Amino acid sequence: MWKYALRRILLLIPTLLAVYTLVFILFHLTPGGPWDKERPVPESVQEYLNAKYGLDKPLWQQYIDYLVGVITRFDLGPSYKYTHLTVRDIIGQFFPNSIQVGLIAMAVAVTLGITLGVLSAIKQNTVLDYVLMFFAIFGATVPTFVIGPLLVWLVILTLGVGLPTGGWGTPRHLVLPVLTLALGPMAVLARYTRSSMLEVIRADYIRTARAKGLPEGVIIVRHALKNALIPVITVAGVILAVVVTGSFYVEFIFSIPGIGQYFVTSVSNRDYPVLMGVSLLFATVIAVMNLIVDLAYGFLDPRIRYQ
Amino acid sequence: MRELNRREFLVGMTGTGLAVVLAACAPTQQPVQPAQPAGGLAQEQVIRIPLTEPPTLDPGLATDTVSLDVIVQLFEGLVGFDDAGNVFGIHAEKWDISSDGITYTFYLRPGIKWSNGRPITAQDYEWAWKRNIDPKTASDYATTLFPIKNAQAIHEGKADPQTLGVRARDDRTLEVTLEAPAAYFLRLASTWTMFPLPREAIERYGDKWTEAGNIITNGPFKMVSWRHQQEIVLERNEDYWGKKPTLQRVIYRIFPEGAEEQVLAAYENDEIDVARGIPPAQVDRVLNDPKLKNQIKIFDQSGTMFIAVNNRRPHLKDPRVRKALGMTLERQVLIDRVLKVVAKPAYSLQPPGIMGRNPDIWPKEDVEAARRLMADAGYPNGQGFPEITFTYNTSATWKALGEYLQQRWQQTLGIKVKLQEMEWRVFLQWRRTPEASQTYDVYRGGWLSDYEDPNNWYNVLWDSAEDPGMFNLGWKNPEYDRIVRQARAELDQQKRAQLYAQAEKILAEEYPAIPVYHYGARHLVKPWVKNWTISRILGFAPLRDVQILAR
């Protein structure tokens, strides 16, 4: 298994290189540059800025220089727009906040999603099942940029619950963003759990367990759920990667100082180093999550072996 | 030149320009207050203000409203101007101007200090100006320093920054030598690009000197903390030399760019004390809300939104055609019903307060006369007039404007209009490409004063030497160029006013661009905030005179 893990980690290198190359090409194809201002910046200043940030060098050299900087010094470059910050500052200061919101939201989504999915499955075709699944479809289809403002309007401005509309710093600031962020993943996980459970509880070994006279709770949790979780884990891994790298909309709606916003703003600001840093970060997180998911299969199902 | 990162600018005021600190230093105009709640000041003098993340707090580099909002609380310079255009000293106790208008000598007042306790000296000014003009500093507003001797050559890399015409004669005397007389030099001297800088902090911390803990300031407030993307906290500077603020603390809460809806929600939930701008979708609700509508405050801005016209295009070369296009617009309808912005109809390209401005001599709204002009120009009912393109940067407001023009010009003049939308940076780059300057017709333009002087309008925008960077777009009038170049150096105010009045007359006859409206700003301000006001230039809010009333 370690050999497998190592091979997968090594595979990260070509993956990241591909992401790097693609983003590099894309931003050199995009019209409009970081120094385009309403009043034209004098040539001398443009030249100086280009020299300062190495943009005067031939493209192939810019391509190599950045790679060398990242590998030898872990230098992700400066921000063109926020000159007092480097890309490393931006990731270092804002990524932990996104992780925090993401992990809490994921914990909520997993706990509630799996519970609701199991309940729905064992009460299949009852009113409870219908209500839960309606809720799940709602959660999976309504986007965060609708749910966020809806929650603010309903919870704070209409019901008058004493929560802040946005901001950062206390647990109270986390309530609405976590709910907004958790709703979609929770709904998806509930649906996966339900259909997976429905398949498993019809399997022969469950019938055997029942025939042995095991209590229903043990059958559901220890026998059925453990097997039913394999497809759920696959989805959860991908969702987790997306959730911890920060949701642009959730961070935007609730003014969270997270990293997700930069994925959008760095493009409109033509802040290339920030865009590159964030892209590489996301690619790494997603690749690592996939690896963890694949390794987790082994624990859940002893039949799976890594070659 | 500032960037449009505040939503209200995207909505209504999209325009540009350097700007001046005037109002920041000026005695604050007292806005009319609604009926006060309980009298007297509140115990806690704290104000909570929405902001977005400032790109910089370095006065030498700042170009945008957001950065200046904080900078003008932390830093100040030699002189300021009040709303009536009168100059007053800040760090400068007095100043002399040589009779030829070339040499300015500023005498600093005693007892002015940096936040680390060191006295502010003339050397701090000299060092700051030489640093800001150095192309290595890459200051976007370095052009502000251009009237100073050698400035332009230094900025273009042809001379050493040490040769700049500024010299500290002693700790308290600053001598400035200009390249040529510039009647607006004191206006420029009031801008942040000419503020003194704390050399020790900049040399020690480089780009990070503006971080809390590193920054050394000299204004009425001091920085307590700056948590990026989260909040900036300032407190009253107890060692400030002048009238100290009543406010003890200022909390800027940082919202993401464009988060106008969130700002309004936070305002309604009493988390912040002001909201700058109302999101377009909420305007009708807020204006009809019995509580909110009484908290609205309207401010004028020194700026004009206009439609830039490519004077190189054969069919747009004729001033009669340009006038006809402008005369058919119903500006009040456009402002109130189509765009829903706070603005005043513009007939002159220059905003109120700019010397020489005279809207009465400009063409009025008159559809019949416009039709006759088109017929005279050889396009009766638009016959033979090619389809024209209106280009704008992505924004709901400009899209609505485009659709209005499309419908209006078709209806009144029989002219077909095609719309072309571009992302902001693409738009900026496109405007300056040689191909574009030959082929486009009309686009969304606008300008906000950098400093309230006619030079910033007549010279910077419409002098043909400014083509193609500015908005004259191929419009050339040698007589006009001669007049405004003479006027920029004229020290006699009366003569200067006459020259600019002549320039205004030429503009009114030639109509190189189509004035649409003068910008305004609409804020929501809680009833307990007293003296909230903003600068006519760039719209930043000086806080020295703001007070919090007991609720």
Side-chain angles (χ1 to χ4, degrees):
Chain A
M1 185 184 123
W2 293 115
K3 228 166 122 187
Y4 172 81
L6 186 72
R7 203 172 63 220
R8 286 286 299 272
I9 289 168
L10 287 177
L11 256 173
L12 251 178
I13 296 169
T15 310
L16 289 179
L17 211 58
V19 170
Y20 171 59
T21 312
L22 210 65
V23 175
F24 185 87
I25 293 172
L26 281 178
F27 66 53
H28 281 285
L29 287 177
T30 316
W35 326 132
D36 281 316
K37 303 278 170 70
E38 185 83 34
R39 176 183 287 190
V41 175
E43 294 257 319
S44 53
V45 174
Q46 285 208 25
E47 273 166 30
Y48 179 75
L49 286 170
N50 284 336
K52 179 176 174 186
Y53 295 118
L55 298 174
D56 55 342
K57 296 183 188 155
L59 282 186
W60 63 266
Q61 200 178 344
Q62 291 183 35
Y63 181 87
I64 305 273
D65 283 355
Y66 181 86
L67 276 184
V68 172
V70 172
I71 294 164
T72 57
R73 289 167 273 133
F74 193 58
D75 177 6
L76 294 165
S79 163
Y80 294 162
K81 168 141 193 200
Y82 304 101
T83 46
H84 51 277
L85 294 175
T86 64
V87 177
R88 225 163 53 186
D89 291 337
I90 288 176
I91 292 176
Q93 287 180 23
F94 306 132
F95 187 38
N97 297 342
S98 294
I99 295 180
Q100 193 186 339
V101 180
L103 285 181
I104 299 173
M106 199 60 194
V108 172
V110 167
T111 319
L112 287 178
I114 292 178
T115 314
L116 296 182
V118 170
L119 275 179
S120 230
I122 54 183
K123 302 282 179 194
Q124 194 195 1
N125 295 334
T126 62
V127 176
L128 179 75
D129 180 29
Y130 296 149
V131 171
L132 288 178
M133 281 308 112
F134 170 80
F135 188 56
I137 290 171
F138 176 83
T141 48
V142 182
T144 46
F145 62 81
V146 174
I147 291 178
L150 197 70
L151 282 178
V152 171
W153 173 79
L154 184 75
V155 176
I156 300 174
L157 297 179
T158 308
L159 299 177
V161 176
L163 286 172
T165 56
W168 187 250
T170 70
R172 289 168 62 237
H173 287 106
L174 284 169
V175 178
L176 290 187
V178 162
L179 276 181
T180 309
L181 194 56
L183 194 62
M186 182 187 81
V188 172
L189 292 177
R191 288 181 55 80
Y192 268 91
T193 309
R194 177 179 180 270
S195 49
S196 182
M197 275 299 280
L198 286 177
E199 228 170 83
V200 172
I201 51 180
R202 296 201 176 95
D204 287 345
Y205 70 92
I206 297 293
R207 199 171 302 134
T208 312
R210 288 225 169 86
K212 281 198 300 188
L214 286 178
E216 189 66 12
V218 175
I219 295 171
I220 297 296
V221 176
R222 203 174 297 161
H223 295 258
L225 184 60
K226 197 177 169 196
N227 271 303
L229 277 184
I230 291 182
V232 178
I233 293 281
T234 314
V235 206
V238 177
I239 293 177
L240 182 60
V242 173
V243 160
V244 296
T245 43
S247 149
F248 168 74
Y249 285 112
V250 171
E251 290 177 8
F252 174 73
I253 292 161
F254 296 104
S255 306
I256 295 169
I259 195 77
Q261 295 179 35
Y262 284 90
F263 213 41
V264 176
T265 55
S266 63
V267 177
S268 51
N269 292 329
R270 302 290 191 275
D271 201 340
Y272 299 141
V274 176
L275 177 61
M276 182 60 85
V278 175
S279 304
L280 292 176
L281 176 74
F282 285 14
T284 312
V285 172
I286 288 173
V288 169
M289 281 304 162
N290 276 329
L291 174 61
I292 293 175
V293 167
D294 288 350
L295 294 178
Y297 289 155
F299 294 105
L300 288 167
D301 188 344
R303 286 169 305 179
I304 295 173
R305 288 282 171 272
Y306 300 98
Q307 303 290 315
Chain B
M1 182 145 147
R2 41 162 283 265
E3 293 181 34
L4 308 179
N5 39 12
R6 264 248 307 279
R7 183 56 201 268
E8 63 187 46
F9 286 93
L10 286 173
V11 176
M13 316 196 356
T14 306
T16 48
L18 296 138
V20 162
V21 83
L22 317 183
C25 319
T28 312
Q29 222 184 15
Q30 305 279 320
V32 182
Q33 289 292 318
Q36 305 294 356
L41 295 181
Q43 274 292 316
E44 290 251 293
Q45 288 294 314
V46 180
I47 191 167
R48 302 158 302 169
I49 303 171
L51 198 74
T52 56
E53 174 80 6
T56 180
L57 291 186
D58 184 330
L61 301 179
T63 58
D64 63 290
T65 310
V66 177
S67 300
L68 288 168
D69 231 338
V70 182
I71 285 173
V72 300
Q73 329 300 344
L74 297 176
F75 297 95
E76 51 187 24
L78 291 170
V79 294
F81 283 82
D82 63 20
D83 274 352
N86 303 311
V87 63
F88 58 91
I90 301 174
H91 285 166
E93 199 171 28
K94 58 188 172 97
W95 53 92
D96 301 328
I97 305 171
S98 64
S99 56
D100 58 1
I102 292 284
T103 310
Y104 284 65
T105 312
F106 295 93
Y107 303 93
L108 302 191
R109 66 178 75 240
I112 45 175
K113 281 188 202 140
W114 292 101
S115 56
N116 64 354
R118 184 173 70 76
I120 297 167
T121 62
Q123 285 86 354
D124 291 327
Y125 276 94
E126 183 187 332
W127 187 84
W129 295 9
K130 286 178 175 170
R131 176 239 189 202
N132 292 347
I133 196 65
D134 191 332
K136 286 197 173 66
T137 307
S139 167
D140 284 343
Y141 270 19
T143 44
T144 311
L145 296 155
F146 275 13
I148 302 173
K149 196 168 171 54
N150 278 341
Q152 198 159 353
I154 296 167
H155 199 57
E156 284 163 6
K158 293 176 199 146
D160 188 301
Q162 288 309 319
T163 61
L164 186 71
V166 57
R167 186 172 70 96
R169 270 210 322 242
D170 57 47
D171 283 356
R172 284 179 47 205
T173 317
L174 184 73
E175 194 179 273
V176 187
T177 314
L178 303 190
E179 195 77 58
Y184 52 101
F185 183 70
L186 284 179
R187 285 279 186 184
L188 297 180
S190 70
T191 64
W192 49 93
T193 320
M194 297 218 197
F195 285 178
L197 292 171
R199 180 178 185 170
E200 59 269 48
I202 297 175
E203 285 182 341
R204 180 155 173 212
Y205 300 108
D207 286 342
K208 292 194 179 293
W209 79 271
T210 51
E211 298 285 285
N214 302 351
I215 195 168
I216 297 174
T217 59
N218 64 29
F221 292 92
K222 293 197 291 195
M223 186 189 282
V224 177
S225 65
W226 180 5
R227 283 187 285 169
H228 297 292
Q229 300 285 5
Q230 203 175 329
E231 67 172 15
I232 295 176
V233 180
L234 310 183
E235 66 180 13
R236 178 164 67 201
N237 176 8
E238 300 295 350
D239 296 325
Y240 182 64
W241 64 272
K243 184 188 154 215
K244 291 184 189 52
T246 313
L247 287 174
Q248 295 158 322
R249 236 172 150 74
V250 179
I251 300 170
Y252 290 102
R253 174 155 148 203
I254 300 178
F255 288 80
E257 284 174 26
E260 247 195 354
E261 295 274 354
Q262 293 88 307
V263 169
L264 183 61
Y267 178 84
E268 291 190 63
N269 199 35
D270 274 352
E271 294 166 36
I272 47 179
D273 299 314
V274 289
R276 299 190 255 198
I278 302 169
Q282 303 274 6
V283 169
D284 290 335
R285 177 178 73 86
V286 172
L287 292 183
N288 292 311
D289 184 297
K291 200 172 96 192
L292 291 176
K293 72 178 178 193
N294 294 322
Q295 301 174 2
I296 293 175
K297 284 203 166 33
I298 307 244
F299 303 99
D300 288 334
Q301 295 286 280
S302 180
T304 310
M305 190 264 137
F306 51 82
I307 298 166
V309 183
N310 190 351
N311 289 262
R312 290 186 184 85
R313 302 282 277 165
H315 49 286
L316 296 169
K317 246 189 182 122
D318 190 331
R320 288 174 295 193
V321 172
R322 299 194 293 264
K323 280 186 195 165
L325 291 173
M327 286 161 75
T328 54
L329 303 183
E330 294 178 300
R331 291 167 175 76
Q332 200 64 55
V333 175
L334 181 67
I335 291 166
D336 293 339
R337 295 203 219 135
V338 183
L339 307 179
K340 297 191 177 177
V341 291
V342 191
K344 293 193 172 131
Y347 299 97
S348 168
L349 285 164
Q350 279 62 242
I354 296 299
M355 180 191 276
R357 173 183 193 261
N358 184 4
D360 295 342
I361 61 173
W362 287 69
K364 298 278 165 315
E365 288 168 12
D366 185 342
V367 174
E368 281 317 306
R371 284 205 182 110
R372 282 197 299 274
L373 281 174
M374 282 298 279
D376 290 348
Y379 307 107
N381 299 317
Q383 281 161 22
F385 198 83
E387 184 184 52
I388 57 173
T389 306
F390 173 72
T391 312
Y392 58 97
N393 57 301
T394 312
S395 131
T397 307
W398 304 137
K399 187 164 193 244
L401 172 66
E403 283 162 359
Y404 172 83
L405 295 177
Q406 200 169 34
Q407 182 235 345
R408 187 73 188 161
W409 284 340
Q410 166 77 50
Q411 221 172 49
T412 54
L413 303 174
I415 294 175
K416 282 203 172 64
V417 181
K418 207 169 75 188
L419 301 184
Q420 184 183 22
E421 181 173 293
M422 289 187 188
E423 190 259 2
W424 174 235
R425 300 267 171 174
V426 178
F427 178 68
L428 286 179
Q429 197 188 44
W430 166 84
R431 265 168 38 178
R432 282 186 258 291
T433 55
E435 310 87 75
S437 70
Q438 299 304 323
T439 55
Y440 62 74
D441 297 304
V442 288
Y443 70 74
R444 192 283 301 167
W447 186 254
L448 289 165
S449 294
D450 305 318
Y451 46 94
E452 280 187 300
D453 185 275
N455 180 66
N456 198 228
W457 289 85
Y458 295 97
N459 297 74
V460 168
L461 298 189
W462 315 115
D463 184 320
S464 68
E466 298 285 343
D467 190 59
M470 286 307 173
F471 298 102
N472 57 339
L473 307 176
W475 177 71
K476 271 196 182 70
N477 183 312
E479 174 72 358
Y480 178 85
D481 289 351
R482 190 186 61 73
I483 293 172
V484 295
R485 284 170 203 175
Q486 189 188 338
R488 84 189 294 168
E490 180 56 63
L491 294 176
D492 182 325
Q493 287 301 302
Q494 227 166 354
K495 274 194 208 144
R496 194 166 186 241
Q498 275 168 10
L499 288 169
Y500 279 124
Q502 284 176 41
E504 174 87 355
K505 204 162 155 255
I506 297 175
L507 287 180
E509 280 160 11
E510 293 274 320
Y511 218 69
I514 303 167
V516 181
Y517 59 75
H518 299 302
Y519 300 106
R522 179 165 46 196
H523 293 191
L524 284 165
V525 183
K526 295 286 182 188
W528 53 82
V529 178
K530 197 181 161 192
N531 293 346
W532 175 266
T533 188
I534 61 170
S535 158
R536 279 210 301 257
I537 288 162
L538 284 192
F540 50 80
L543 298 173
R544 200 188 59 186
D545 297 328
V546 171
Q547 299 178 326
I548 304 296
L549 301 172
R551 293 191 207 180

